[in-house]
């Protein structure tokens, strides 16, 4: 037994010896000792051989098991292991990885990893990726971050990525990523955050978040110099509702109030619930001008009052509830947040004091502006009823001195304040919607005048240009309104020209084109007013067929003063004269030099103080040539 197996030569010779011996031996001889020894040795070697095989086999089995274990560890680890190339393509991925992405592994290889990152996070990923690959040659540091990723079925999950840039076995830079789905943890964190910063009943931001946002808003307004506003909203008689119909009904009301607040403000504004029936709305970025900003705030406040005033349906009960709003303006860090919140609170109590369903400003000066506006609005309604408006006519002149028509410009003959110019009431009329009735009156009056001129050879050729406001033009039934007026007055539609401004044409081009086409088809003309002040582009002129283009007076006034503006005017005239059927008119012509320049460069028509100011009808008619 102590003889060791030491090579195939010895094994072969032993076997040969033994076989030869056994073949020639008689039974008696086999029983002799030397033979016994030899046989014994053979036996030992046989056993030794078998033992070796066994060892090998078990080593092999152990190896197999280890390999399975390794593959299991790699494939089924709770982590997606992904290797991506310098080009950002997936070169290796384990089973968990392909399950996380929702695509079979064979179809993932060579796919771009960034395709599985939601678009909002993709830019950040690209920056991180470039940065990490820079380090790959030096076998860089580990990087950890979170990303929102997309499963192949379209659902998103929140992933934690542990990345190691390194060189692969063949010296190519690669990125090894260990990817874990942490959506659950993220959800819990988000819920915690939601609890800390949002009101659980309405899901609006709570007082804490409002204060954070207010702080940011103050800093932003300090930079932009634009005013913002706080509106403090308190429901009238909420306590009575709670006491009579119970807390559940009260909760329903608060939830609906929150919804209405959200739909009354712009996306960038904040609507928060402080508790009870107290809400705050923060408006940002209103205007650099304090009064203008206050007017914006008032318009938003009125909108909220109206929205909250509409009936609610609470468990089959129809319920009505007015509210009171206090407002204050802010710009920069002049007033601390807590003081601002105190100020709106005080203003809200003033509003309640004045009678419910009211809005009150904390700032005296702002309140004065708003009160004046409210008075003006009331006056405007009276003006409409009592026909206090009049039209002035400003002649439009051709190069040979003929009056071809007039632009009608509205004036308000106020019983106490005298003649008021449009600048002082048209903007308010636009904000309050009164412009619709006013615009209707202007059109009817202008058409009635055209009718009166129809049978007189001195006046029958005259055209009237009427200013149309955006609000008016964007009415769904604008075309019908005009055709009704034309029918009622029974005039030749080609005598009427509507003036639109560029800013009205920015949205809904298709709808605008349809309206213009419909009216043009019956002969109504269109003039593009204030040309050059807005977002003038050739596209308007080619897509929307205007008959006339009106160079804004700001350019005309710079003729001979500013070389660039003179060049622009020349270009506008040249361009317009090249467009088929488009006529050009200059407004605000005040001097002979301006007129001469315009004539020289081919501008067919002029309007301005040089010829005449806008005049009441009789005075305008007096200027017409007598036959
Ligand atoms: P607009 O359409 O640009 O009207 C031209 C304005 O320039 C008129 O002011 C006119 O009096 C003034 N103007 C005319 N010639 C000269 C001049 O040589 N030099 C100077 N410096 N100014 C001149 P107005 O009448 O005060 O009207 C102001 C604006 O009010 C109008 O600007 C128009 O946008 C609006 N508006 C006037 N009437 C109506 C109307 O009936 N409806 C609507 N929606 N808006 C109107
Ligand atoms: Ca005009
Ligand atoms: Ca104009």
């Amino acid at each position: 037994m102590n003889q060791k197996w030491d090579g195939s030569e010895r094994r072969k010779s032993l076997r040969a010896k033994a076989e030869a011996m056994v073949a020639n031996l008689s039974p008696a001889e086999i029983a002799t000792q030397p033979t016994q020894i030899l046989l014994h040795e053979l036996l030992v070697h046989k056993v030794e051989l078998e033992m070796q095989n066994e060892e090998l086999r078990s080593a092999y089995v152990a190896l197999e098991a280890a390999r399975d274990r390794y593959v299991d560890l790699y494939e089924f680890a709770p982590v997606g292991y992904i290797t991506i190339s310098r080009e950002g393509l997936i070169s290796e991925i384990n089973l968990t990885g392909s399950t996380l992405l929702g695509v079979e592994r064979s179809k993932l290889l060579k796919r771009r990893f960034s395709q599985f990152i939601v678009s909002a996070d993709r830019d950040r990923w690209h920056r991180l990726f470039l940065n990490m690959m820079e380090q790959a040659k030096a076998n860089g540091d580990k990087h950890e971050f979170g990303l929102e990723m997309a499963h192949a079925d379209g659902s998103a999950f929140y992933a934690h990525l542990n990345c190691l840039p390194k060189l692969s076995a063949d010296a190519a830079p690669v990125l090894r990523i260990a990817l874990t789905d942490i959506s659950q943890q993220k959800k819990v964190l988000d819920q915690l955050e939601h609890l800390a910063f949002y009101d659980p009943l309405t899901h609006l931001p709570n007082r804490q978040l409002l204060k954070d946002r207010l702080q940011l808003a103050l800093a932003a307004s300090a930079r932009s110099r634009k005013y913002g506003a706080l509106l403090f909203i308190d429901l009238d008689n909420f306590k009575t509702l709670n006491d009579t119909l119970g807390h559940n009904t009260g909760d329903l009301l608060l939830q609906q109030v929150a919804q209405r607040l959200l739909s009354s403000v712009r996306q960038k504004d904040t609507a928060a619930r402080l508790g009870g029936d107290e809400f705050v709305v923060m408006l940002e970025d209103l205007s650099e001008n304090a009064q203008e900003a206050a007017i914006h705030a008032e318009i938003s406040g009125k909108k909220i009052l109206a929205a909250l005033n509409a009936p609610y349906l609470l468990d089959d009960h129809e319920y009505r509830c007015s509210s009171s709003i206090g407002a204050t303006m802010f710009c920069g860090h002049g007033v601390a947040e807590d003081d601002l919140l105190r100020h709106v609170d005080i203003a809200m109590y003033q509003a309640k004091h004045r009678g419910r369903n009211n809005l009150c400003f904390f700032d005296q000066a702002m309140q004065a502006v708003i009160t004046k506006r409210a008075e003006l609005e009331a006056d405007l309604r009276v003006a409409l009823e009592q026909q206090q408006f009049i039209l002035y006519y400003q002649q439009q002149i051709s190069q040979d001195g003929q009056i071809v028509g007039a632009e009608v410009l509205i004036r308000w003959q106020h019983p106490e304040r005298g003649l008021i110019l449009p600048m002082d009431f048209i903007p308010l009329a636009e904000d309050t919607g009164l412009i619709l009735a006013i615009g209707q009156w202007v059109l009817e009056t202008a058409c009635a005048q055209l009718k009166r001129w129809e049978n007189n050879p001195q006046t029958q050729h005259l055209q009237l240009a009427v200013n149309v406001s955006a609000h008016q033009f964007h009415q769904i039934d604008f075309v019908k309104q005009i055709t009704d007026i034309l029918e009622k007055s029974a005039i030749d539609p080609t005598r009427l020209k509507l003036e639109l401004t560029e800013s009205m044409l920015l949205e809904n081009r298709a709808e605008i084109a349809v309206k213009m086409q419909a009216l043009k088809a019956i002969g109504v003309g269109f003039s593009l007013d204030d040309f050059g002040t807005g977002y003038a582009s050739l596209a308007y002129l080619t897509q929307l067929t205007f008959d006339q283009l009106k160079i804004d007076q700001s350019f005309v006034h710079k003729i001979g003063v500013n070389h660039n503006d003179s060049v622009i005017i020349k270009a506008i005239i040249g361009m317009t004269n090249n467009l088929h059927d488009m006529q050009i008119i200059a407004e605000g012509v005040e001097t002979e030099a301006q007129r001469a320049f315009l004539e020289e460069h081919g501008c067919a028509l002029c309007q301005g103080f040089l010829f005449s100011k806008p005049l009441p009808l009789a005075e305008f008619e007096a200027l017409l040539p007598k036959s």
Side-chain angles (χ1 to χ4, degrees), residues 205 209-231 264-272 280-289 292-298 300-301 304 328-333 340:
L209 185 54
L210 173 72
K211 279 174 114 180
D212 289 357
R213 293 209 183 151
L214 182 54
Q215 214 163 36
L216 292 176
L218 293 182
S221 79
R223 284 193 298 276
S224 70
R225 307 301 315 152
K226 283 197 181 163
Y227 280 82
L230 280 186
L231 304 177
S264 312
V265 300
R266 303 165 302 175
Q267 194 127 35
K268 63 177 167 186
D269 299 327
T270 297
V280 168
V281 164
M282 179 175 80
L283 308 170
E284 284 187 75
D285 242 359
L286 293 177
S287 168
E288 280 182 46
N289 175 297
E292 228 175 84
I295 289 169
H296 279 298
E298 195 223 3
S300 298
I304 292 172
T328 193
M329 310 302 295
F330 62 81
C331 187
H333 296 287
L340 282 173

Side-chain angles (χ1 to χ4, degrees), residues 361-434:
F361 273 82
F362 176 76
D363 323 55
Q364 287 306 310
M366 295 304 155
Q367 188 57 50
V369 171
I370 300 304
T371 310
K372 203 169 141 219
R373 243 173 91 86
E375 284 166 12
L376 191 65
E377 187 185 333
D379 277 7
L380 258 185
R381 291 182 194 277
V382 174
L384 257 172
E385 273 169 31
Q386 303 189 349
Q387 308 246 347
Q388 294 172 358
F389 297 114
I390 35 173
L391 288 187
Y392 273 36
Y393 296 75
Q394 187 177 35
Q395 47 179 264
Q396 299 182 329
I397 304 265
S398 62
Q399 289 301 355
D400 56 7
Q402 308 282 335
I403 298 177
V404 298
E407 176 178 6
V408 296
L409 295 154
I410 194 169
R411 302 290 182 260
W412 178 5
Q413 188 66 59
H414 194 285
E416 287 133 37
R417 294 166 55 196
L419 199 68
I420 305 180
L421 289 174
M423 201 182 77
D424 294 325
F425 67 91
I426 291 285
L428 178 68
E430 302 240 10
D431 288 345
T432 51
L434 286 171

Side-chain angles (χ1 to χ4, degrees), residues 384 389 410 426 429 433-446 466-469 472 478 481-482 485:
L384 257 172
F389 297 114
I410 194 169
I426 291 285
L434 286 171
I435 192 69
L436 295 179
I438 295 177
Q440 182 89 4
W441 176 85
V442 172
L443 279 161
E444 281 169 0
T445 311
V466 175
N467 292 288
V468 173
S469 88
Q472 229 179 323
F478 179 73
Q481 289 177 16
I482 300 289
I485 293 173

Side-chain angles (χ1 to χ4, degrees), residues 532-580:
T533 56
Y535 304 84
S537 90
L538 269 176
Y540 295 146
L541 304 182
T542 49
Q543 284 174 10
L544 303 169
T545 41
F546 280 94
D547 307 88
Q548 189 183 66
L549 191 151
K550 207 171 199 186
I551 305 177
D552 188 64
Q553 43 184 289
S554 58
F555 287 104
V556 176
H557 295 165
K558 294 208 183 107
I559 289 175
V561 180
N562 182 317
H563 176 68
N564 283 347
D565 285 298
S566 309
V567 172
I568 291 175
I569 292 190
K570 268 193 263 179
I572 296 176
I573 299 173
M575 180 186 78
T576 314
N577 286 338
N578 280 329
L579 284 169
H580 192 55

